[in-house]
Structure formats: C-alpha cells, structure tokens
Amino acid sequence: MILSPEFIKKIEIEYLRLLAKLLRDGKINRQTAKDASIEYLKLLPISSSEDLMAKISPFVKQYPQLDAYEIYLLHEIEEIKTQKVLEKMRTYLKSDKIDEAISLVQT
C-alpha cells in the first residue's frame, strides 16, 4: 500500500515524540537517541507500508527501546486499511450493492 506524504510526516513526528519521551524518562541517553536517529534517517524514503515494516523491524531489533514505535506503525497501517475497506463498503451500499459490501468484510 502506497503511503501518503501526510502519513509519512505523521509517523516521523510520532518517532520524535517517542524519542523525546524516552529521553525525558531517562530510558535512553543522548548518544543512543542520536545513533537511532541517524539510523532512522537511513530508512527514508519509504515507498509503501510493506517497505516501512520491512525497514522498521530490523531497526527496532537494533533499538529495542523504540519497540512502541513499531506497534504504533502496525496500528496506523491497519487503521488505514480498515478505513479504505469501510469507504469501499459505503460506496457499494450507496449504489445498492449490498452483497458486494458484505463480501468485502469476508475477504
């Protein structure tokens, strides 16, 4: 699934938010935050949700303090997929294609 520039910006901000929280809570030091950020920048650009998750998994293994970020990404990607299915269902319902709408849920 192709990711919008808005989505990429949102997840980058969330990365920074998590990094700031970890620093504030003393769960990582400045050097680790710097090293993780350098590695994070190497992940860019991100071409799709599959690309994102393929890149994030090894990143989080290298920096396990950031595992909440991977969970956040999984949730956000699933939310996008759910919204797309719901929108398609809505379109089918408006076109009186109830069977097609229901079949989307089963796939």
Side-chain angles (χ1 to χ4, degrees):
M1 171 179 65
I2 302 296
L3 300 173
S4 70
E6 295 81 20
F7 180 81
I8 299 298
K9 181 179 178 180
K10 178 181 176 180
I11 64 170
E12 288 172 349
I13 290 170
E14 185 59 30
Y15 169 77
L16 294 171
R17 187 174 287 138
L18 176 59
L19 198 64
K21 181 180 181 339
L22 291 171
L23 280 165
R24 213 177 19 253
D25 293 348
K27 294 185 178 176
I28 61 171
N29 60 35
R30 289 177 56 98
Q31 187 59 50
T32 302
K34 181 179 178 179
D35 294 344
S37 295
I38 290 168
E39 291 302 314
Y40 184 82
L41 290 173
K42 290 179 184 177
L43 304 177
L44 303 175
I46 297 164
S47 61
S48 66
S49 59
E50 296 80 14
D51 180 45
L52 173 62
M53 295 318 297
K55 290 176 177 178
I56 287 298
S57 289
F59 173 74
V60 171
K61 282 186 176 81
Q62 186 176 359
Y63 298 99
Q65 308 92 323
L66 297 166
D67 64 345
Y69 187 61
E70 184 175 25
I71 295 165
Y72 167 80
L73 294 175
L74 287 168
H75 172 74
E76 290 299 310
I77 290 169
E78 281 305 309
E79 185 64 29
I80 290 171
K81 289 178 182 177
T82 300
Q83 290 303 316
K84 286 184 178 192
V85 170
L86 290 173
E87 188 57 41
K88 197 168 193 179
M89 287 177 71
R90 184 175 166 264
T91 302
Y92 281 149
L93 285 175
K94 284 185 163 192
S95 301
D96 201 26
K97 296 179 181 178
I98 297 169
D99 287 333
E100 288 89 339
I102 292 170
S103 70
L104 285 175
V105 174
Q106 295 173 330
T107 55

